[in-house]
Amino acid sequence: MAKPFSPELDHLIEGYRRFRTTGWTPRLERWHQLREGQEPPVMVIACSDSRVDPAQIFDTDPGEMFVVRNVAALVPPFETSPGYHGVSAALEFAVQVLKVRKIVVLGHGMCGGCRAALTQELEGTEPGEGGFINDWIGLLRPARDAVIHAHGTSGRPAERAMEQAGVKVSLANLRTFPCVRRKEAAGELRLRGAFFAISDGVLHVLDEDSGEFLEAK
């Protein structure tokens, strides 16, 4: 006799059944197209936070976005040192193989990774005990000084400033990749920054000329 699923997995299985009824069967033609390959026009780099699903926020269909999610929606700078470069590999695939035409870096409110970068609460922790997170959010250290100079290290204004600064850091790091620079200069690729506020559900888009995040209309 098969063992019963846990309540958490039961919930997922129920969702799968709804998907088969409302997401798979009515869209069979679309799924048949997708089995031949994918041609998403957009890559979205977003946070792993369970509250911020790009497919929900942008209300997209399968195959419309190539999505990479990680702690704080960060992009590392271009490096050729030995190691495992997961985000860089996904970026390379999206730009060089899928030939996406736009990359959106999507930051969000109440981001734990950005808050930890601001407070440095994980400094000195061992790998597996917070150290991996601390090393990763170290990508935000160059932006931290300006944030704490203007807002300190605690409170919602400081956190929001750090979250939005993180989007700008990732955009800057994207432009260290030769393939991104080349395609952006040729007009074949466009980079955009965005910020989703969990508190009110409002999306803001970065105006890179002014450095301000403006509400999407």
Side-chain angles (χ1 to χ4, degrees), residues 29-80:
E29 183 177 351
R30 175 61 174 164
W31 287 109
H32 288 165
Q33 292 173 344
L34 291 174
R35 72 185 180 188
E36 303 300 326
Q38 58 171 325
E39 294 181 336
V42 179
M43 177 184 192
V44 178
I45 300 167
C47 185
S48 299
D49 193 300
S50 63
R51 301 165 292 181
V52 191
D53 181 356
Q56 284 189 315
I57 293 170
F58 296 116
D59 192 24
T60 56
D61 287 328
E64 289 191 64
M65 298 188 303
F66 183 78
V67 180
V68 172
R69 299 179 70 174
N70 63 55
V71 173
L74 291 174
V75 177
F78 178 75
E79 295 178 327
T80 57

Side-chain angles (χ1 to χ4, degrees), residues 17-140:
R17 293 187 183 118
R18 290 193 300 273
F19 160 73
R20 288 288 298 183
T21 301
T22 63
W24 176 266
T25 302
R27 299 180 180 179
L28 277 179
E29 183 177 351
R30 175 61 174 164
W31 287 109
H32 288 165
Q33 292 173 344
L34 291 174
R35 72 185 180 188
E36 303 300 326
Q38 58 171 325
E39 294 181 336
V42 179
M43 177 184 192
V44 178
I45 300 167
C47 185
S48 299
D49 193 300
S50 63
R51 301 165 292 181
V52 191
D53 181 356
Q56 284 189 315
I57 293 170
F58 296 116
D59 192 24
T60 56
D61 287 328
E64 289 191 64
M65 298 188 303
F66 183 78
V67 180
V68 172
R69 299 179 70 174
N70 63 55
V71 173
L74 291 174
V75 177
F78 178 75
E79 295 178 327
T80 57
S81 58
Y84 298 102
H85 302 287
V87 175
S88 301
L91 174 64
E92 186 176 67
F93 182 71
V95 172
Q96 300 287 63
V97 179
L98 297 178
K99 303 186 186 306
V100 297
R101 298 188 293 277
K102 183 173 289 186
I103 300 175
V104 177
V105 177
L106 178 64
H108 72 93
M110 315 305 292
C111 178
C114 289
R115 184 178 63 249
L118 183 65
T119 63
Q120 297 189 324
E121 61 198 64
L122 296 176
E123 282 291 317
T125 55
E126 294 295 323
E129 303 293 334
F132 288 130
I133 301 171
N134 188 61
D135 288 346
W136 180 248
I137 60 177
L139 291 166
L140 293 173

Side-chain angles (χ1 to χ4, degrees), residues 155-185:
R156 191 67 204 115
E159 292 172 359
R160 188 179 180 106
M162 190 76 251
E163 292 154 1
Q164 294 185 344
V167 173
K168 297 175 183 179
V169 167
S170 286
L171 287 172
N173 286 345
L174 278 170
R175 292 184 170 111
T176 66
F177 286 78
C179 61
V180 171
R181 282 202 310 271
R182 183 176 66 253
K183 291 202 169 195
E184 187 178 31

Side-chain angles (χ1 to χ4, degrees), residues 205-217:
V205 178
L206 175 63
D207 178 355
E208 289 200 78
D209 290 334
S210 68
E212 298 296 319
F213 284 82
L214 308 176
E215 185 176 337
K217 300 294 187 180

